Amino acid sequence: MVDREFNKPLLLEVLRAAGTGNAQCADCGTPDPEWASYKLGIFICLNCSGIHRNLPEISRVKSIHLDFWENDLVEFMKMHGNLCAKAKYEAKVPPFYYIPHSKDCLVLKEQWIRAKYEREEFVATSVCHETGTSASAGSREGFLWKRGRDSRQFLKRRFLLSATEGMLKYYTKESKGPKAVISIKDVNAMFQTEKIRNPHGLQITYSKEGQTRNLFVYHESGKNKEAFKKHWFSLDSQERNLFYFKGPLDAFELGRVFIGSKEQGYEVQAGLPRGVTGKKCKAGLTIVTPHRKFVFVCENDREQKEWTVDSALNEVISQPVTA
């Protein structure tokens, strides 16, 4: 225990070390990150840490201040760091790729994080298997659903994005050549999920003959096919941590949720947030924290009641946090 407590100041030294890039989130640039991926060796913010939790085979996260850090993990963080990871995972980011910032939406950040670490699209030696082209060549080709200019109907169109030519092109079924050829330097792209009414809707804006032109598109496979994953949960009421595992006999946790007190803004609510549904399970609960909401589904109403009414979670929340 003494070694673990001693390691926290050492970890903070690594966080604040000059020339490491650790003082800002490795993924969105938020200053003073309070979380870290001890599998990738990077320091990240709270929002990005939630995305990393969904990539347990690639990334494992811990809180810098709330969790224990073993000697080998601190040494690993010291030997790596944000700039080291950037050199590897962002070596070949195309000039047209929009890198999200701290104020951007979570959907945009998740696309960026998955592209970097899960698919390794920007690693110098990576290859895009879908298109058969090298990611280092800065080319991307695929199908998007595009809204018709004079109608509300979305039609499937082939798009080609080439950094070599500096052009974005799209094709219709009727035309052999590209329907439009757009210079990358004139393109501005932003997520517009509410306007397009799709969780992965994108608005592409560019100038054409002195006028502003908008393309509204979305990718049908960009949606996560499994919004909820089944995990095994264990509550440590003394340390106020809710651990989750892939299975009941797993040796290592996938992650944890710190459970604070009611006075700090923590709460357990029965039911799911508006607009959220489980594919097979209708019952659920929401753990509210000062920073975000954790949503869980239950197989039946009985399980929901066990987790919400007179549950161990509520007992922990009702107790003040001791220093």
Side-chain angles (χ1 to χ4, degrees), residues 17 22 34 37 45 68 119 123 131 166 187 202 215 223 285 321:
N22 296 338
E34 297 185 347
S37 169
C45 69
F68 292 127
R119 298 191 295 271
V123 175
T131 63
V187 170
L202 187 71
L215 301 179
K223 187 177 180 181
L285 64 122
V321 176

Side-chain angles (χ1 to χ4, degrees), residues 22-249:
N22 296 338
Q24 294 181 318
C25 174
D27 295 322
C28 72
T30 298
D32 303 319
E34 297 185 347
W35 291 79
S37 169
Y38 57 88
K39 198 167 183 178
L40 295 171
I42 58 174
F43 292 89
I44 52 181
C45 69
L46 175 65
N47 286 332
C48 288
S49 73
I51 300 171
H52 278 260
R53 285 192 189 95
N54 293 326
L55 306 172
E57 295 181 358
I58 299 168
S59 182
R60 298 288 179 89
V61 298
K62 279 178 178 281
S63 168
I64 296 172
H65 302 286
L66 301 176
D67 292 327
F68 292 127
W69 285 83
E70 293 78 4
N71 295 332
D72 58 335
L73 294 185
V74 175
E75 188 63 25
F76 181 82
M77 298 299 297
K78 184 177 180 181
M79 296 298 295
H80 291 78
N82 290 4
L83 286 186
C84 180
K86 183 182 180 70
K88 175 182 178 181
Y89 293 103
E90 299 182 33
K92 297 293 181 179
V93 178
F96 52 75
Y97 198 99
Y98 179 76
I99 299 177
H101 304 290
S102 59
K103 294 183 180 180
D104 285 317
C105 63
L106 283 177
V107 172
L108 190 58
K109 294 177 182 178
E110 182 176 4
Q111 293 289 343
W112 167 239
I113 290 171
R114 287 185 178 274
K116 276 205 299 182
Y117 308 117
E118 186 176 52
R119 298 191 295 271
E120 294 190 353
E121 291 184 6
F122 314 124
V123 175
T125 57
S126 70
V127 172
C128 178
H129 298 288
E130 286 187 5
T131 63
T133 59
S134 169
S136 62
S139 296
R140 179 72 56 188
E141 183 176 0
F143 288 93
L144 299 174
W145 288 88
K146 175 188 169 295
R147 187 177 187 270
R149 185 180 63 180
D150 301 319
S151 70
R152 297 181 180 181
Q153 186 178 6
F154 281 85
L155 301 173
K156 199 171 186 178
R157 297 289 184 252
R158 183 167 65 92
F159 279 76
L160 173 63
L161 186 60
S162 173
T164 305
E165 297 179 347
M167 295 294 177
L168 171 66
K169 307 174 185 179
Y170 81 87
Y171 301 78
T172 65
K173 294 180 180 179
E174 296 80 14
S175 61
K176 295 182 180 180
K179 178 69 174 178
V181 179
I182 309 164
S183 174
I184 291 175
K185 63 182 179 64
D186 296 328
V187 170
N188 181 45
M190 67 188 78
F191 275 90
Q192 291 286 2
T193 58
E194 293 185 4
K195 183 186 291 187
I196 300 177
R197 297 182 179 179
N198 185 280
H200 299 280
L202 187 71
Q203 177 178 333
I204 301 173
T205 304
Y206 64 98
S207 179
K208 180 180 180 181
E209 298 176 353
Q211 292 184 323
T212 300
R213 174 82 162 92
N214 292 319
L215 301 179
F216 299 99
V217 300
Y218 68 87
H219 196 300
E220 61 182 3
S221 64
K223 187 177 180 181
N224 190 344
K225 294 181 180 179
E226 187 177 5
F228 291 92
K229 294 185 178 180
K230 193 170 184 177
H231 292 310
W232 183 268
F233 286 83
S234 175
L235 177 65
D236 184 340
S237 58
Q238 292 186 343
E239 296 293 335
R240 310 184 75 105
N241 282 318
L242 179 64
F243 298 94
Y244 56 94
F245 305 83
K246 192 172 184 179
L249 300 179

